[in-house]
Amino acid sequence: MLASKMLLSTLKDVPQEAKIPSHILLLRSGMIKQEVSGVFLYMPLGLRVLKKIENIIREEMDNSGSLEILCSAIQPKELWEESGRWQKYGPELMRFKDRHEREFCLGPTHEEVFTSVVRDLVKSSKSLPLNIYQIQTKYRDELRPRFGLMRSREFIMKDAYSFDKDEAGLDASYKVMYDTYSKIFTRFGLNFRAVLADTGAIGGNSSHQFMALSEVGESDIAYCTSCGYAADLEKAESKCDIYEIGEEKNIEEIYTPNMKTIEEVSSYLKISPKKLAKTIIYYENINKEYVAVVVRGDREINEIKVINALNSTENDLRLATDEEIYKLGSIHGFCGPLNLNIKILVDEEITLTKNIIVGSNKKDYHLANVMYGRDFKGEVSCFRKAEADDLCPICGKPLKLERGIEVGQIFKLQTKYSKAMNCTYTNEENKPVPMVMGCYGIGVSRTLASIIEQNHDDSGIIWPLNVAPYHAVIVPINYKDEEQKALANKIYEQLKANHVEVILDDRDAKAGFKFKDWELIGIPYMIICGRNSKDNIVEFKIRKDVLNKVELDASKAIDEIIKAVKEIK
Ligand code: ATP
Ligand code: MG
């Protein structure tokens, strides 16, 4: 490809809206352009990378035995009513009406559509197990679209759905997808970790997320270097930390004037926050009830676990207002679980600690020596967030925390959709049995951004060879110089003849400007034709190794590139 014909549009400056390397570099390299917030278009170079990423995913999905189809983004309301998600999905679902007032949505995911396809086509258990996938555009009206392709409102996903006769079948299908995802992310050269995950709005009872490790990731991961346990922080467990077990004492009211926070009370009383309990009151919108959650003073509440315990959704849980708390007979800053006439969720650590200090529901007072069981009761489970150095729930060694980008997630859906939507097969007794389902997503465009997060430097992107928009670029210092032009053209033809995707920079521009462009764009190999062109000598640069430039015979550079391209996996 000739650089003069490539619609190149690199930017020198960092666009104001871009905050993380992948967003900055995708915009600066001209690979994507923003249409409106959270909506992007792919320019030629970006599209080439996207297609290569899609093809690697496609190859591995095909190898796993999954069948590719392509669905529309448009989905009728009726399908979503069958699964019950038309009501439950909330404002992320982009809904619209046609001219006849019929309602639709733009698919954020395709469980309903795939379930309806299989229910219509498959009747016999002979067709099972079945795994079908697509690579297709999804729509989610994200509250805060941000970080470019990481969290957009329109994005490309690979979504697959498996259909099995029974649980054992699902386990096997799930394992195949787990292994396939591991192969896919390994082929992208990503440093990733598969972690246990919450199942969220999709449902089901078992799930893993594939996390590309990165500081810019929006997910926190707890992991154990000793036994390999790893979980999204929303899901992570840890062994209870027992702070005080001494003798039981009687309740005492203590004066804590204006002390509303854990820090204020603990420093005033000169005691560890671990002796205090935090009581936070929420309003839950599905059951329309107030709920108090009690965790130890040094802990954070894990709202996902609260949502799951209440069978609610993220959109249906919010903090109660000061006014609401007052109406419940308490007061903001002094809430406590005693004499509070609402549902109480208690973190298990609280039940194992003696003589805790809690709010008294009365201004300026706390209660000391409170005991779970003796003085109050509630629904006990793990409602705290795991923290670094908490003990691993499996082996008891200290946990570590790190950040990751969720590039994929797999779920065991069981019969959630097949039951609701009547997707059954006929068993030996001629009875209809709901199929047992799994679903498996990869954020294709998010993966593209994640590869950049893990492969860049101050000059720009460093594409791995197998997803680079082009493998090599030839830069004549001066294309008007006949010798340089002749050598550059010769190398260009030879590389093309050997299946190397190559660019010839025929632009009439300063050499430094051209180098900067290709370093920003991240082309893996660069051949520079300069003064020694008449002797067939070029400069050869490998993008990964940006400081190293060697002079060598053109044929050597050509051979090295051809060899590397042949070895692409
Ligand atoms: P998140 O928690 O990041 O919002 P999710 O868990 O809602 O994502 P899934 O429903 O599991 O997402 O979708 C499958 C994959 O699609 C995710 O693992 C992620 O890689 C990708 N994805 C989800 N939402 C977006 C988005 N707004 N922009 C880009 N990719 C996305
Ligand atoms: Mg997910």
Side-chain angles (χ1 to χ4, degrees), residues 284-312:
E284 198 287 314
N285 190 41
I286 293 181
N287 294 311
K288 310 239 174 292
E289 63 179 354
Y290 292 96
V291 182
V293 184
V294 188
V295 296
R296 216 168 62 180
D298 61 321
R299 295 294 196 177
E300 293 291 323
I301 293 178
N302 183 335
E303 289 187 354
I304 296 295
K305 293 197 171 170
V306 173
I307 287 165
N308 289 344
L310 298 173
N311 228 335
S312 186

Short mmCIF file of all heavy atoms in Angstrom, two decimals, residues 284-312:
data_model
loop_
_atom_site.label_atom_id
_atom_site.label_comp_id
_atom_site.label_asym_id
_atom_site.label_seq_id
_atom_site.Cartn_x
_atom_site.Cartn_y
_atom_site.Cartn_z
N GLU A 284 -34.23 -0.38 48.50
CA GLU A 284 -34.25 -1.38 47.44
C GLU A 284 -35.57 -1.27 46.70
O GLU A 284 -36.64 -1.39 47.30
CB GLU A 284 -34.06 -2.78 48.05
CG GLU A 284 -33.62 -3.82 47.04
CD GLU A 284 -34.74 -4.24 46.10
OE1 GLU A 284 -35.85 -4.50 46.59
OE2 GLU A 284 -34.50 -4.31 44.87
N ASN A 285 -35.47 -1.06 45.40
CA ASN A 285 -36.63 -0.62 44.64
C ASN A 285 -37.53 -1.74 44.12
O ASN A 285 -38.68 -1.47 43.75
CB ASN A 285 -36.11 0.24 43.48
CG ASN A 285 -37.22 0.94 42.77
OD1 ASN A 285 -38.14 1.44 43.43
ND2 ASN A 285 -37.16 0.97 41.45
N ILE A 286 -37.05 -2.99 44.07
CA ILE A 286 -37.92 -4.05 43.56
C ILE A 286 -38.91 -4.47 44.65
O ILE A 286 -40.13 -4.52 44.42
CB ILE A 286 -37.11 -5.25 43.04
CG1 ILE A 286 -36.32 -4.81 41.80
CG2 ILE A 286 -38.03 -6.44 42.69
CD1 ILE A 286 -35.48 -5.88 41.16
N ASN A 287 -38.37 -4.74 45.84
CA ASN A 287 -39.27 -5.08 46.95
C ASN A 287 -39.77 -3.84 47.70
O ASN A 287 -40.52 -3.95 48.65
CB ASN A 287 -38.55 -5.99 47.95
CG ASN A 287 -38.23 -7.32 47.31
OD1 ASN A 287 -39.12 -7.93 46.71
ND2 ASN A 287 -36.99 -7.74 47.38
N LYS A 288 -39.26 -2.69 47.26
CA LYS A 288 -39.66 -1.40 47.87
C LYS A 288 -39.48 -1.46 49.38
O LYS A 288 -40.43 -1.30 50.15
CB LYS A 288 -41.10 -1.03 47.51
CG LYS A 288 -41.43 -1.12 46.02
CD LYS A 288 -41.90 0.22 45.49
CE LYS A 288 -42.10 0.27 43.99
NZ LYS A 288 -40.92 0.17 43.16
N GLU A 289 -38.24 -1.72 49.78
CA GLU A 289 -37.98 -1.79 51.23
C GLU A 289 -36.64 -1.16 51.57
O GLU A 289 -35.76 -1.03 50.71
CB GLU A 289 -38.00 -3.25 51.70
CG GLU A 289 -36.91 -4.10 51.08
CD GLU A 289 -36.90 -5.54 51.56
OE1 GLU A 289 -37.67 -5.88 52.48
OE2 GLU A 289 -36.10 -6.32 51.02
N TYR A 290 -36.52 -0.78 52.83
CA TYR A 290 -35.24 -0.28 53.33
C TYR A 290 -34.47 -1.45 53.92
O TYR A 290 -35.05 -2.37 54.50
CB TYR A 290 -35.46 0.80 54.40
CG TYR A 290 -36.06 2.05 53.81
CD1 TYR A 290 -37.44 2.28 53.84
CD2 TYR A 290 -35.24 2.99 53.19
CE1 TYR A 290 -37.99 3.41 53.26
CE2 TYR A 290 -35.77 4.13 52.61
CZ TYR A 290 -37.15 4.33 52.65
OH TYR A 290 -37.68 5.45 52.07
N VAL A 291 -33.15 -1.40 53.76
CA VAL A 291 -32.31 -2.49 54.25
C VAL A 291 -31.07 -1.88 54.90
O VAL A 291 -30.46 -0.96 54.35
CB VAL A 291 -31.83 -3.36 53.05
CG1 VAL A 291 -30.98 -4.52 53.54
CG2 VAL A 291 -33.01 -3.87 52.26
N ALA A 292 -30.73 -2.39 56.10
CA ALA A 292 -29.50 -1.93 56.73
C ALA A 292 -28.43 -2.99 56.53
O ALA A 292 -28.70 -4.18 56.66
CB ALA A 292 -29.73 -1.70 58.22
N VAL A 293 -27.21 -2.54 56.17
CA VAL A 293 -26.11 -3.48 56.00
C VAL A 293 -25.05 -3.14 57.05
O VAL A 293 -24.65 -1.98 57.18
CB VAL A 293 -25.51 -3.39 54.59
CG1 VAL A 293 -24.42 -4.44 54.41
CG2 VAL A 293 -26.60 -3.55 53.53
N VAL A 294 -24.63 -4.17 57.79
CA VAL A 294 -23.68 -3.93 58.88
C VAL A 294 -22.36 -4.65 58.58
O VAL A 294 -22.33 -5.87 58.40
CB VAL A 294 -24.25 -4.47 60.22
CG1 VAL A 294 -23.35 -4.04 61.39
CG2 VAL A 294 -25.68 -3.98 60.45
N VAL A 295 -21.29 -3.87 58.48
CA VAL A 295 -19.95 -4.47 58.31
C VAL A 295 -19.02 -3.83 59.34
O VAL A 295 -19.34 -2.80 59.92
CB VAL A 295 -19.36 -4.24 56.89
CG1 VAL A 295 -20.20 -4.93 55.83
CG2 VAL A 295 -19.22 -2.75 56.58
N ARG A 296 -17.84 -4.43 59.53
CA ARG A 296 -16.91 -3.88 60.49
C ARG A 296 -16.43 -2.50 60.04
O ARG A 296 -16.38 -2.21 58.85
CB ARG A 296 -15.72 -4.85 60.63
CG ARG A 296 -15.19 -4.94 62.02
CD ARG A 296 -14.23 -6.08 62.14
NE ARG A 296 -13.08 -5.89 61.25
CZ ARG A 296 -12.09 -6.76 61.17
NH1 ARG A 296 -12.10 -7.86 61.89
NH2 ARG A 296 -11.08 -6.53 60.36
N GLY A 297 -16.06 -1.66 61.00
CA GLY A 297 -15.71 -0.27 60.71
C GLY A 297 -14.61 -0.08 59.70
O GLY A 297 -14.59 0.90 58.96
N ASP A 298 -13.68 -1.00 59.61
CA ASP A 298 -12.57 -0.85 58.66
C ASP A 298 -12.89 -1.46 57.31
O ASP A 298 -12.05 -1.46 56.42
CB ASP A 298 -11.31 -1.53 59.24
CG ASP A 298 -11.53 -3.03 59.45
OD1 ASP A 298 -12.64 -3.41 59.88
OD2 ASP A 298 -10.61 -3.82 59.20
N ARG A 299 -14.09 -1.96 57.13
CA ARG A 299 -14.45 -2.66 55.88
C ARG A 299 -15.29 -1.79 54.96
O ARG A 299 -16.00 -0.89 55.41
CB ARG A 299 -15.26 -3.92 56.22
CG ARG A 299 -14.49 -4.96 56.98
CD ARG A 299 -13.39 -5.52 56.13
NE ARG A 299 -12.86 -6.76 56.67
CZ ARG A 299 -11.90 -7.46 56.04
NH1 ARG A 299 -11.41 -7.05 54.90
NH2 ARG A 299 -11.46 -8.57 56.58
N GLU A 300 -15.25 -2.14 53.67
CA GLU A 300 -16.16 -1.53 52.70
C GLU A 300 -17.28 -2.53 52.42
O GLU A 300 -17.04 -3.74 52.40
CB GLU A 300 -15.43 -1.29 51.38
CG GLU A 300 -14.34 -0.24 51.43
CD GLU A 300 -14.90 1.14 51.63
OE1 GLU A 300 -15.97 1.43 51.08
OE2 GLU A 300 -14.28 1.91 52.40
N ILE A 301 -18.48 -1.99 52.15
CA ILE A 301 -19.59 -2.90 51.79
C ILE A 301 -19.42 -3.35 50.34
O ILE A 301 -19.12 -2.54 49.47
CB ILE A 301 -20.94 -2.19 51.98
CG1 ILE A 301 -21.16 -1.92 53.47
CG2 ILE A 301 -22.08 -3.00 51.37
CD1 ILE A 301 -22.43 -1.18 53.78
N ASN A 302 -19.63 -4.63 50.09
CA ASN A 302 -19.65 -5.14 48.73
C ASN A 302 -21.10 -5.10 48.24
O ASN A 302 -21.91 -5.96 48.56
CB ASN A 302 -19.11 -6.58 48.72
CG ASN A 302 -19.03 -7.15 47.32
OD1 ASN A 302 -19.76 -6.73 46.43
ND2 ASN A 302 -18.15 -8.11 47.13
N GLU A 303 -21.41 -4.04 47.48
CA GLU A 303 -22.83 -3.82 47.11
C GLU A 303 -23.35 -4.92 46.19
O GLU A 303 -24.54 -5.20 46.19
CB GLU A 303 -22.99 -2.44 46.46
CG GLU A 303 -22.84 -1.34 47.50
CD GLU A 303 -23.16 0.05 46.99
OE1 GLU A 303 -23.39 0.22 45.79
OE2 GLU A 303 -23.15 0.98 47.83
N ILE A 304 -22.47 -5.54 45.43
CA ILE A 304 -22.92 -6.62 44.54
C ILE A 304 -23.46 -7.77 45.39
O ILE A 304 -24.49 -8.38 45.06
CB ILE A 304 -21.76 -7.10 43.65
CG1 ILE A 304 -21.32 -5.97 42.71
CG2 ILE A 304 -22.14 -8.34 42.86
CD1 ILE A 304 -22.34 -5.51 41.69
N LYS A 305 -22.79 -8.04 46.51
CA LYS A 305 -23.28 -9.13 47.37
C LYS A 305 -24.60 -8.74 48.03
O LYS A 305 -25.46 -9.59 48.27
CB LYS A 305 -22.21 -9.49 48.40
CG LYS A 305 -21.01 -10.11 47.70
CD LYS A 305 -20.08 -10.85 48.59
CE LYS A 305 -19.08 -11.58 47.69
NZ LYS A 305 -17.98 -12.16 48.41
N VAL A 306 -24.74 -7.47 48.31
CA VAL A 306 -26.02 -6.99 48.87
C VAL A 306 -27.12 -7.17 47.82
O VAL A 306 -28.20 -7.71 48.10
CB VAL A 306 -25.90 -5.51 49.30
CG1 VAL A 306 -27.25 -4.95 49.71
CG2 VAL A 306 -24.86 -5.37 50.42
N ILE A 307 -26.82 -6.74 46.60
CA ILE A 307 -27.79 -6.85 45.51
C ILE A 307 -28.20 -8.31 45.31
O ILE A 307 -29.39 -8.63 45.17
CB ILE A 307 -27.18 -6.27 44.21
CG1 ILE A 307 -27.13 -4.74 44.31
CG2 ILE A 307 -27.94 -6.71 42.97
CD1 ILE A 307 -26.25 -4.07 43.29
N ASN A 308 -27.22 -9.20 45.30
CA ASN A 308 -27.53 -10.62 45.11
C ASN A 308 -28.38 -11.16 46.25
O ASN A 308 -29.33 -11.91 46.02
CB ASN A 308 -26.25 -11.43 44.98
CG ASN A 308 -25.55 -11.15 43.66
OD1 ASN A 308 -26.15 -10.60 42.74
ND2 ASN A 308 -24.28 -11.49 43.57
N ALA A 309 -28.06 -10.77 47.48
CA ALA A 309 -28.83 -11.27 48.63
C ALA A 309 -30.27 -10.79 48.55
O ALA A 309 -31.19 -11.46 49.02
CB ALA A 309 -28.19 -10.80 49.93
N LEU A 310 -30.47 -9.62 47.94
CA LEU A 310 -31.83 -9.06 47.87
C LEU A 310 -32.52 -9.44 46.56
O LEU A 310 -33.64 -9.01 46.30
CB LEU A 310 -31.77 -7.53 47.97
CG LEU A 310 -31.19 -6.99 49.29
CD1 LEU A 310 -31.02 -5.48 49.20
CD2 LEU A 310 -32.09 -7.35 50.47
N ASN A 311 -31.79 -10.21 45.71
CA ASN A 311 -32.34 -10.55 44.41
C ASN A 311 -32.69 -9.30 43.62
O ASN A 311 -33.74 -9.22 42.98
CB ASN A 311 -33.61 -11.38 44.59
CG ASN A 311 -33.55 -12.58 43.70
OD1 ASN A 311 -32.86 -12.52 42.67
ND2 ASN A 311 -34.24 -13.64 44.09
N SER A 312 -31.83 -8.31 43.69
CA SER A 312 -32.13 -7.03 43.08
C SER A 312 -31.16 -6.76 41.93
O SER A 312 -30.48 -7.68 41.45
CB SER A 312 -32.02 -5.94 44.16
OG SER A 312 -32.43 -4.71 43.65
#
